[in-house]
Amino acid sequence: MEKTSFSSTQGKPIRCKAAILRKAREPLVIEEIQVDPPRAYEIRIKILCTSLCHTDLTFSKLDSGPLARFPRILGHEAVGVVESTGENVDGFEQGDVVLPVFHPQCEECKDCKSPKGNWCTRYTNDFLSNTRRYGMSSRFKDSSGEDIYHFLFVSSFTEYTVVDIAHLVKISPEIPVHKAALLGCCVSTGVGAVWKVADVEKGSTVAIFGLGAVGLAVAEGARLRGAARIIGVDLNPEKFEIGKQFGITDFVNPTLCGEKKTSQVINDMTEGGVDYSFECIGLSSSMEEAFNSTRPGSGKTVVLGMEKDAMPISLGSYDLLRGRTVCGTLFGGLKPKLDIPILVDRYLKKELNLDGLITHELKFEEINKAFELLAEGSSIRCILWMDK
């Protein structure tokens, strides 16, 4: 990819198009906005393409509480190029291909320096601010001069956005940008959960609850780890054929289990339960079923889905005493700046399969159609191109 010159816009506000959420449950509105220059430790990015995640859909429906903010620019899976940098920015230069990520890595705090996990003590606990270092200060203004709220420190449903360096990864220009965009959330979350959190071994048995983009990425991670049996659980029978591309060997449709619970069916299939289960839906009931589908003594459940109503889950204390474990993960336990380049390399070596996850490609102006496709379950990932 050839580097583009942005010398005429550096240090100046940019006017561009953005898809703005003005009110919950209403279509996004394409408007002209102003994007301010980056401040210290920030980078302004020209978005090349972006994709739509269920998290975007969920937040578009929130009409109350501290997370419901309007007007707002959603979007957090995207790839762009560096247009300009603020002060104190090292390692990035104009024209670099970059991947913005919602999960921060400051590289300086105790947890960022620890190999144990991917929590960033310095930043991760704050998910309400507009900008990472400047609180509610916004880089977006609408045509009337009103501030527009950011989303997950990315806001990719715009031709230009401003991102803190703690949320930005430089990637190889050799990977197709629409494939790379998936590494900003779904693929990293799914593959990472298998490799980093569960540490699945060759010959293991795996159950995956929910075969959306994250669930299929879990299957791909398990396939690459050499899992002997990968059981997919979903209400949509079409997902089995798609799942086969990612290593799924068996399929369970909960509506066809008769009087048996899904966990009972899986226990029967595996003679006592799977070694690892992954919950990728975000329902407390499926979290419980995922836990109950693992084998006593060593079974491990990893929760990736976000319970939209923050409902508690009920687990039998005796089942925990029998050696089963359960844990959650954000961004699959990956440290973005360290691990995303590894995923890019695995893709370029034709080891990591991303084919089949992208089911639709549309123009950015068709973003509301992308929301409809995702809401009705017709798409896994829809890529929105800025310049097509």
Side-chain angles (χ1 to χ4, degrees), residues 76-246:
H76 64 285
E77 277 189 350
V79 168
V81 293
V82 174
E83 177 271 337
S84 61
T85 62
E87 296 179 355
N88 303 320
V89 172
D90 297 318
F92 297 92
E93 61 182 36
Q94 196 177 81
D96 282 345
V97 181
V98 289
L99 181 82
V101 290
F102 72 90
H103 192 70
Q105 184 186 352
C106 76
E107 302 182 280
E108 299 171 352
C109 70
K110 179 180 178 180
D111 283 322
C112 278
K113 292 180 178 179
S114 169
K116 292 182 179 180
N118 70 337
W119 202 254
C120 176
T121 311
R122 185 177 181 184
Y123 290 136
T124 311
N125 289 323
D126 173 21
F127 54 91
L128 292 175
S129 295
N130 274 330
T131 51
R132 182 47 80 190
R133 298 168 205 258
Y134 304 99
M136 296 311 296
S137 174
S138 176
R139 302 292 170 267
F140 305 124
K141 289 183 175 61
D142 66 13
S143 57
S144 64
E146 180 184 3
D147 280 351
I148 304 171
Y149 287 104
H150 292 235
F151 179 64
L152 296 180
F153 305 97
V154 176
S155 290
S156 60
F157 294 166
T158 170
E159 293 177 316
Y160 287 85
T161 188
V162 175
V163 179
D164 190 282
I165 57 173
H167 290 268
L168 207 58
V169 180
K170 182 179 175 179
I171 61 173
S172 168
E174 294 180 25
I175 183 171
V177 294
H178 62 308
K179 299 291 182 65
L182 305 180
L183 303 180
C185 183
C186 64
V187 171
S188 294
T189 298
V191 173
V194 176
W195 292 1
K196 291 281 189 174
V197 183
D199 195 16
V200 169
E201 314 95 345
K202 183 177 181 179
S204 300
T205 53
V206 171
I208 305 166
F209 287 70
L211 297 181
V214 173
L216 292 172
V218 168
E220 176 65 6
R223 181 189 70 81
L224 289 170
R225 275 296 178 92
R229 198 170 186 183
I230 305 173
I231 303 168
V233 180
D234 203 282
L235 298 175
N236 184 353
E238 295 179 3
K239 293 291 183 69
F240 187 31
E241 288 303 315
I242 298 172
K244 287 180 180 179
Q245 302 175 47
F246 301 93

Side-chain angles (χ1 to χ4, degrees), residues 17-92:
K17 291 181 181 178
I20 301 177
L21 179 67
R22 287 283 178 184
K23 189 176 181 181
R25 301 177 184 275
E26 290 192 357
L28 275 60
V29 183
I30 303 292
E31 298 182 20
E32 184 178 86
I33 67 166
Q34 175 179 301
V35 183
D36 290 337
R39 294 172 66 174
Y41 302 101
E42 293 181 338
I43 294 177
R44 189 161 59 187
I45 304 164
K46 175 179 171 60
I47 297 294
L48 300 176
C49 67
T50 183
S51 57
L52 185 61
C53 171
H54 270 96
T55 303
D56 300 304
L57 182 62
T58 298
F59 273 79
S60 73
K61 297 177 180 179
L62 291 179
D63 56 8
S64 62
L67 298 177
R69 293 174 171 175
F70 311 98
R72 190 177 215 169
I73 298 175
L74 299 172
H76 64 285
E77 277 189 350
V79 168
V81 293
V82 174
E83 177 271 337
S84 61
T85 62
E87 296 179 355
N88 303 320
V89 172
D90 297 318
F92 297 92

Side-chain angles (χ1 to χ4, degrees), residues 11 40 123 134 139 142 248 277 321 353 367:
Y123 290 136
Y134 304 99
R139 302 292 170 267
D142 66 13
I248 289 179
S277 68
L321 288 172
N353 175 30
I367 189 169

Side-chain angles (χ1 to χ4, degrees), residues 292-313:
N292 291 327
S293 71
T294 58
R295 42 183 338 103
S298 60
K300 185 170 186 175
T301 301
V302 181
V303 175
L304 294 83
M306 182 183 295
E307 229 293 345
K308 63 178 182 178
D309 297 317
M311 296 293 291
I313 61 174

